[in-house]
Amino acid sequence: MNSVYDLHSHSNASDGTLEPRELVQKAAQAGIDVLALTDHDTVDGIDEAVAEAPGAGIALVAGVEISVTWNKQLLHIVGLGVDTGCETLREGLRRLQQARRERAEEMGRMLEKQGIEGAYAGARALANGRVIGRSHFARFLVDEGHVANMRKVFRSYLGHGKPGFVAREWATLEEAVSWIHGAGGQAVIAHPARYPFSITKLKRVLQDFIEIGGEGLEVISGSHSREDNANMARLAREFGLLASMGSDYHGPECPWLSLGRLAPLPDGLTPIWHDWQERGIARSA
Ligand code: AMP
Ligand code: MN
Ligand code: MN
Ligand code: MN
């Protein structure tokens, strides 16, 4: 039997809602054999997830989703199979976490100008000392009745160019890939069909990424349509990128992204995990 892979997920170490151990249990219940925990700009949830995995009967891949600014656009680069003790990676992530704290304060001020009080304190409380992000603000705004649901919050306040949006310089593409490689991992462009790019621009990203040594494309994503998956499969073949797949699960509160419900990898692609056995990644204990 083929193993079921889900190589993109979040815990409450960043903007997911489950504790890492709860996420691992949920993944096992969903029939996943190999799960990567890929929190935004942190590896703080990994130790707990790794400890929980053998008992749950799944293999846990240490991962991260790094925020990148490429040509003034936000990109997400997933690192898979990283050594979480690598100091270069940790140092880079600390910088991004500091940028997130500064952005959050600024977002609070922007939302205050829109007549919304206490958003920074509310988001901070929801993040509970862990990595803060726009999702925490979104949850605060929904909980307080300012907006009906998460999607509308991004459309009205937190999306690019909206009144609560604060632009930041994140890592460069080179930095993100070099931190991941320095930590012994593989770099993957997350949910490639989600960016507001033309196909020409997306191809430019892939070209840059490959020149730097990036190896993977998340062909199958929980946030892709079927057509997106097919288009990204074509790009992966054209550019010779290894194929990854992941739900981008954030917890039961975000039911539009569900664990372990992914389409199979299309034919003619080399999976990113093709040599993991030899490399000792995702060994089940
Ligand atoms: P951040 O990394 O803090 O800028 O926040 C980005 C995160 O916000 C993503 O990883 C998603 O979890 C969430 N997000 C972005 N856009 C939307 C949306 N339209 N609906 C719901 N969640 C979103
Ligand atoms: Mn997120
Ligand atoms: Mn992402
Ligand atoms: Mn994600």
Side-chain angles (χ1 to χ4, degrees):
M1 270 277 287
N2 282 337
S3 294
V4 176
Y5 287 82
D6 188 335
L7 302 179
H8 188 153
S9 70
H10 296 272
S11 74
N12 65 3
S14 67
D15 64 358
T17 57
L18 298 176
E19 301 282 347
R21 67 189 143 72
E22 295 173 320
L23 172 73
V24 167
Q25 290 295 346
K26 262 253 181 320
Q29 285 159 22
I32 291 164
D33 300 301
V34 184
L35 175 77
L37 175 59
T38 56
D39 272 307
H40 297 284
D41 304 324
T42 183
V43 291
D44 286 352
I46 300 291
D47 285 352
E48 184 182 315
V50 165
E52 189 74 8
I58 71 173
L60 198 285
V61 179
V64 64
E65 181 173 17
I66 299 181
S67 309
V68 162
T69 306
W70 177 88
N71 272 0
K72 299 195 163 51
Q73 303 266 0
L74 179 68
L75 279 185
H76 281 171
I77 303 298
V78 159
L80 295 174
V82 293
D83 168 6
T84 57
C86 171
E87 196 41 46
T88 317
L89 174 67
R90 296 186 81 89
E91 177 65 30
L93 297 181
R94 275 198 293 274
R95 192 183 97 203
L96 298 180
Q97 289 160 20
Q98 177 61 24
R100 280 178 169 277
R101 284 189 287 271
E102 291 166 12
R103 178 186 67 160
E105 287 178 37
E106 181 64 17
M107 284 175 70
R109 288 190 284 272
M110 303 280 282
L111 289 167
E112 229 161 79
K113 285 190 197 147
Q114 299 296 310
I116 296 170
E117 299 288 331
Y120 174 60
R124 242 187 94 160
L126 287 169
N128 197 19
R130 294 177 264 215
V131 169
I132 193 163
R134 278 185 286 167
S135 301
H136 300 109
F137 281 87
R139 261 177 239 143
F140 170 82
L141 290 168
V142 174
D143 291 350
E144 294 288 303
H146 293 287
V147 192
N149 61 51
M150 293 287 278
R151 275 173 198 270
K152 282 198 184 137
V153 186
F154 280 87
R155 236 181 288 146
S156 316
Y157 287 104
L158 305 181
H160 195 270
K162 302 297 174 195
F165 182 82
V166 175
R168 283 293 311 198
E169 288 288 322
W170 303 105
T172 64
L173 190 57
E174 289 86 347
E175 283 172 330
V177 172
S178 75
W179 299 342
I180 290 165
H181 285 171
Q186 289 164 297
V188 176
I189 298 180
H191 40 66
R194 297 293 312 152
Y195 305 110
F197 296 167
S198 64
I199 188 74
T200 318
K201 194 156 181 188
L202 187 54
K203 286 186 175 182
R204 248 191 289 147
V205 175
L206 301 191
Q207 217 116 42
D208 281 6
F209 181 67
I210 288 165
E211 263 168 43
I212 297 162
E215 42 269 278
L217 191 68
E218 202 171 75
V219 169
I220 307 290
S221 165
S223 66
H224 283 173
S225 68
R226 239 193 310 179
E227 196 188 349
D228 290 335
N229 288 341
N231 289 336
M232 295 309 113
R234 254 196 307 278
L235 278 184
R237 286 188 207 102
E238 181 183 336
F239 283 80
L241 284 161
L242 300 174
S244 187
M245 61 197 298
S247 62
D248 207 0
Y249 183 68
H250 280 71
E253 289 80 1
C254 307
W256 58 90
L257 300 168
S258 53
L259 270 172
R261 295 269 170 81
L262 293 166
L265 268 192
D267 291 337
L269 294 167
T270 307
I272 188 106
W273 57 84
H274 73 105
D275 62 351
W276 282 5
Q277 207 144 28
E278 297 101 85
R279 297 175 50 209
I281 301 171
R283 246 187 322 226
S284 27

